Amino acid sequence: AQKVTQAQTEISVVEKEDVTLDCVYETRDTTYYLFWYKQPPSGELVFLIRRNSFDEQNEISGRYSWNFQKSTSSFNFTITASQVVDSAVYFCALSDYNTDKLIFGTGTRLQVFP
Amino acid sequence: DAGITQSPRHKVTETGTPVTLRCHQTENHRYMYWYRQDPGHGLRLIHYSYGVKDTDKGEVSDGYSVSRSKTEDFLLTLESATSSQTSVYFCAISESGLAGRSSYNEQFFGPGTRLTVL
């Protein structure tokens, strides 16, 4: 069965520190998609990135970067030089190949202190 | 931002009463989803729809029903609300699911509805 594990329940850092959020997934599918979403204190869910299983290139978008490693079934998210505005709950999610469903991890709450 | 609205945004109701939550989209996307978010559980899929009048169950569908009579509207009904259904409910849309299995579009989420069942 598909599963997403975000073992870090909560992380606290001081502004300008780098921080990595871990995501480990389980799937028997050979084709799948991985996602990261951000949920700021205001409550909405913001899409950050989609990655398919055939593309293991790391991606960088400004201060955000993602490291996808199939060998370890991980899709980790790094924020460089964190800012207070990065404080949010971050969710990793995995697509189910046979349905149109997303399986979400339980989320990691990131608190960035000034 | 994807055009998704949810109504009501907040609701307090009593155990045993029926409740209907509405999700409305202006994107003409085919797929619509209802999730609930609870501490320690992340988001869990309740029901989803892959077209008008085409719906299917998700992970936590017991006690919920859905209807989709128009592309733009997806209704979630709690037939007889219970305290365990106190939660934040999110609607999501996506342009395509696994159509052709060559792509899988991200889901965009509505602002959420906070439901309290007393």
Side-chain angles (χ1 to χ4, degrees):
Chain A
Q2 275 84 350
K3 184 179 179 182
V4 175
T5 301
Q6 294 181 257
Q8 303 152 308
T9 304
E10 189 161 338
I11 301 175
S12 295
V13 299
V14 176
E15 227 176 0
K16 298 184 183 178
E17 283 187 36
D18 298 347
V19 58
T20 296
L21 309 182
D22 298 332
C23 173
V24 174
Y25 62 92
E26 297 175 29
T27 182
R28 292 179 180 172
D29 296 338
T30 55
T31 302
Y32 51 90
Y33 292 81
L34 294 160
F35 303 79
W36 277 95
Y37 285 84
K38 174 182 180 180
Q39 186 175 42
S42 52
E44 74 272 23
L45 282 148
V46 179
F47 165 75
L48 294 179
I49 190 172
R50 175 188 66 183
R51 171 68 67 210
N52 75 53
S53 54
F54 296 112
D55 183 1
E56 288 193 72
Q57 271 193 325
N58 291 333
E59 179 151 345
I60 298 174
S61 176
R63 295 184 297 105
Y64 294 172
S65 62
W66 290 270
N67 184 329
F68 176 31
Q69 292 195 334
K70 288 179 75 171
S71 60
T72 56
S73 296
S74 65
F75 186 42
N76 296 337
F77 173 29
T78 297
I79 301 174
T80 302
S82 60
Q83 299 176 1
V84 173
V85 293
D86 296 326
S87 297
V89 180
Y90 291 87
F91 291 98
C92 181
L94 166 71
S95 66
D96 184 315
Y97 184 73
N98 292 309
T99 69
D100 299 306
K101 304 174 185 177
L102 279 184
I103 296 98
F104 282 83
T106 52
T108 297
R109 180 179 300 277
L110 173 65
Q111 293 195 69
V112 182
F113 293 99
Chain B
D1 289 344
I4 312 168
T5 57
Q6 293 184 229
S7 59
R9 294 292 314 279
H10 302 270
K11 186 170 181 67
V12 179
T13 190
E14 294 188 351
T15 297
T17 59
V19 176
T20 295
L21 308 183
R22 180 181 183 236
C23 178
H24 178 78
Q25 60 145 329
T26 58
E27 305 295 321
N28 201 35
H29 284 358
R30 180 181 172 190
Y31 289 81
M32 299 185 75
Y33 310 80
W34 276 108
Y35 292 88
R36 59 178 290 174
Q37 183 179 16
D38 305 288
H41 290 279
L43 280 90
R44 292 180 293 174
L45 183 65
I46 304 171
H47 281 282
Y48 70 108
S49 169
Y50 43 92
V52 173
K53 297 187 178 176
D54 290 325
T55 65
D56 204 350
K57 295 180 179 180
E59 178 187 0
V60 290
S61 59
D62 287 348
Y64 302 95
S65 63
V66 290
S67 66
R68 191 166 177 204
S69 58
K70 298 185 290 185
T71 299
E72 58 266 35
D73 290 325
F74 192 33
L75 303 180
L76 176 71
T77 298
L78 291 65
E79 302 290 349
S80 178
T82 67
S83 58
S84 64
Q85 294 176 311
T86 292
S87 186
V88 179
Y89 290 85
F90 285 97
C91 174
I93 65 173
S94 68
E95 186 174 351
S96 67
L98 295 166
R101 304 209 167 165
S102 62
S103 67
Y104 190 100
N105 292 90
E106 56 272 20
Q107 296 179 15
F108 295 99
F109 286 81
T113 293
R114 185 173 295 277
L115 176 67
T116 302
V117 183
L118 302 176

